[in-house]
Amino acid sequence: MSAPDASPTAVAGARQPGLPDARTLHTRYLLSLGDDALIYAQRLGEWLTHAPQIEEDMALGNVGLDLLGQARSLLTRAGEVEDAHPRRDEDALAMLRYEREFRNVHLVERPRGDFGQEMARMLWFASYQYELYTALLGSADPTLAGVAQKAVKEVAYHRDHATQWVLRLGDGTPESHARVQAGLEAVHPYVQELGEDFDAARWASEQGVGVLPSSLAASVNAYVGEVLEGATLAMPDEPRWHARGGREGVHSGAMGLLLAELQHIARSHPGATW
Amino acid sequence: MPSRTSDIGPTDLLGRVAQAVRAVPDPEIPVITIEDLGVIREVERVGDGLRVTITPTYSGCPAMRAMEEAVLDVGRRAGVPVEVVTRLSPAWTTDWMSEQGRESLRRFGIAPPTGERAHAAAGGPVGLTLQARQVTCPLCGSPDTEEIARFGSTACKALRRCLACREPFDEFKTI
């Protein structure tokens, strides 16, 4: 995750003419964080019964559950800030939005690869979330600060879990080393997007509500770099392309299938409860 | 951090309902009450009813919903309006678990949290080495135990085994 190039939009900032109002930007910022957590929770849930050992079924399921909990609080807050008529609650936001309304990064929507690749993805994502929530402890949005207080402990545990596995696999057999290295190469084009600023984050940072993703990149890189070194793995070269657009609702083909699975019960049986 | 009951006499109806609320068992670990677990922040009188403020343990813990339902059910059965409010800040920590709660866990065969938080709220160091942390076996008392899995049967537990008595056991994670 390296700092993005200076772009014209970065200079224009939140006072750019035609930019949405504060309520919309605040909502979008919360949705970005909540959607990252929700979509990665869904991907992690896919590992249940597919992990290399039953303890890992439990672990990936539990990490997903923590993320789902974070998503619930963040989406609930997004619905409050948005204040639509009628108001959208966590279920409406998770289950009834269309693909273009989701603001998660591409990293979390990628189909799962092998276990080595999942640990590579989790190492990057949990390291990013750890820096993010640490920075949000002092958010001017009291709900966001409260979510961060709880979540920072959870993601520290996720980051540690991924760290232990990357160390073990990287410094393990030639096969495990090769596969986790291949996993790192596979996710690398998706990492930079985590550290890219977007309009809602610029607004949130100016208001003390949120934090610029670019300000987290150096710490995230340093942590992952240290783990890779300890694991005898190589940081992949700068990729020739990288994913972009997730924060504006532009997603990959994988996203539609993911949402179909996530949403189909809620859409097939509107208002159903148990 | 002990919870507070404000403006309620201990023997009147609201006082008895407040006591019953505090005594609601954890749905996943029924040997410990939600009071001993440390999730109840406040029980206050609001008009003719009670407002119960709780702080969730883990963001995604499915038991939180069950606890809320159980608290509301106490009110329904007593004919007292009860509302449950969630307070996120300050975040729940195992430091809030009572001594009695820890003892109940131990007797049930779950190693209680050790009291030192694994990760101080922010900036807690995460070791790059495999962890060697001492947890005492709740069954035989031996300190000679090892971790089997960092994630156990619920969000709040890890799985260990005792090298002395050879029994596996759950550990309540310290957060």
Side-chain angles (χ1 to χ4, degrees):
Chain A
M1 193 158 77
S2 47
D5 303 329
S7 64
T9 53
V11 177
R15 277 168 297 276
Q16 185 182 342
L19 209 66
D21 62 14
R23 180 187 300 282
T24 303
L25 290 166
H26 191 174
T27 306
R28 283 186 188 170
Y29 184 66
L30 292 162
L31 288 176
S32 302
L33 308 191
D35 288 346
D36 281 353
L38 176 70
I39 301 303
Y40 197 31
Q42 178 73 9
R43 280 289 180 232
L44 287 172
E46 293 174 6
W47 276 98
L48 289 171
T49 73
H50 290 100
Q53 56 189 42
I54 195 169
E55 288 82 0
E56 230 22 61
D57 280 345
M58 304 293 297
L60 298 176
N62 267 306
V63 172
L65 199 56
D66 286 340
L67 293 177
L68 187 63
Q70 294 164 19
R72 291 186 59 183
S73 299
L74 291 165
L75 295 184
T76 297
R77 177 65 179 150
E80 286 168 13
V81 171
E82 181 187 49
D83 199 22
H85 304 288
R87 184 175 285 189
R88 295 197 284 183
D89 64 7
E90 51 175 322
D91 290 328
L93 287 168
M95 300 301 170
L96 300 176
R97 268 183 303 156
Y98 293 103
E99 183 179 318
R100 285 298 305 264
E101 299 173 87
F102 279 82
R103 296 180 175 275
N104 54 281
V105 290
H106 285 243
L107 178 69
V108 295
E109 75 194 45
R110 277 176 55 77
R112 69 187 163 88
D114 66 9
F115 185 70
Q117 187 172 322
E118 194 61 82
M119 287 304 107
R121 165 157 69 175
M122 186 183 287
L123 180 64
W124 278 111
F125 186 67
S127 300
Y128 156 76
Q129 276 199 312
Y130 181 79
E131 301 300 335
L132 171 74
Y133 286 129
T134 301
L136 291 177
L137 290 172
S139 169
D141 177 336
T143 305
L144 193 47
V147 170
Q149 278 185 36
K150 176 146 295 296
V152 74
K153 300 187 198 183
E154 295 165 351
V155 301
Y157 208 76
H158 307 166
R159 186 177 76 159
D160 198 32
H161 187 69
T163 299
Q164 305 300 341
W165 269 116
V166 169
L167 287 172
R168 211 174 283 222
L169 297 171
D171 198 12
T173 65
E175 172 74 8
S176 70
H177 178 94
R179 286 175 70 167
V180 72
Q181 183 68 50
L184 286 163
E185 307 284 347
V187 302
H188 211 59
Y190 300 90
V191 167
Q192 188 167 325
E193 192 183 11
L194 286 172
E196 279 182 333
D197 297 335
F198 50 101
D199 284 340
R202 285 186 201 98
W203 173 87
S205 167
E206 281 176 13
Q207 303 300 313
V209 165
V211 57
L212 282 177
S214 60
S215 70
L216 309 172
S219 311
V220 174
N221 275 324
Y223 181 83
V224 173
E226 198 184 338
V227 174
L228 297 192
E229 199 183 325
T232 72
L233 293 161
M235 180 70 83
D237 293 335
E238 230 11 74
R240 285 182 299 172
W241 61 278
H242 74 273
R244 60 178 81 209
R247 300 299 188 203
E248 309 306 325
V250 179
H251 296 285
S252 62
M255 185 70 172
L257 294 168
L258 181 148
L259 287 180
E261 186 158 295
L262 175 71
Q263 298 183 331
H264 98 266
I265 294 280
R267 288 186 183 272
S268 306
H269 306 278
T273 58
W274 65 60
Chain B
M1 190 192 282
S3 65
R4 207 152 68 70
T5 301
S6 51
D7 197 25
I8 307 167
T11 54
D12 60 19
L13 175 62
L14 285 187
R16 293 199 305 276
V17 174
Q19 278 314 107
V21 164
R22 293 171 182 290
V24 164
D26 179 310
E28 301 216 30
I29 314 170
V31 294
I32 185 170
T33 66
I34 58 175
E35 165 82 349
D36 285 332
L37 187 60
V39 304
I40 295 198
R41 301 267 58 77
E42 250 172 333
V43 182
E44 316 161 81
R45 178 183 196 134
V46 177
D48 296 334
L50 295 177
R51 178 191 293 146
V52 180
T53 306
I54 60 176
T55 296
T57 51
Y58 283 78
S59 301
C61 180
M64 292 311 302
R65 179 70 182 272
M67 287 180 204
E68 229 181 284
E69 283 300 319
V71 168
L72 294 174
D73 198 47
V74 166
R76 274 194 291 269
R77 276 183 284 134
V80 168
V82 170
E83 69 167 324
V84 176
V85 180
T86 299
R87 184 185 296 162
L88 292 176
S89 181
W92 180 82
T93 151
T94 40
D95 294 353
W96 293 355
M97 193 183 287
S98 71
E99 267 315 309
Q100 192 183 331
R102 288 165 203 268
E103 189 48 39
S104 304
L105 286 180
R106 194 173 0 250
R107 269 186 280 131
F108 190 57
I110 299 173
T114 50
E116 313 142 31
R117 287 187 222 175
H119 303 284
V126 175
L128 287 180
T129 52
L130 301 178
Q131 285 187 344
R133 201 166 39 82
Q134 188 175 312
V135 176
T136 304
C137 173
L139 307 167
C140 76
S142 168
D144 193 13
T145 66
E146 67 177 6
E147 186 174 84
I148 299 174
R150 302 171 54 75
F151 292 84
S153 54
T154 64
C156 56
K157 287 183 292 189
L159 192 59
R160 298 185 72 88
R161 100 179 110 213
C162 177
L163 298 173
C165 72
R166 312 302 299 174
E167 288 291 328
F169 64 90
D170 276 332
E171 176 203 1
F172 206 105
K173 294 191 291 210
T174 304
I175 66 165

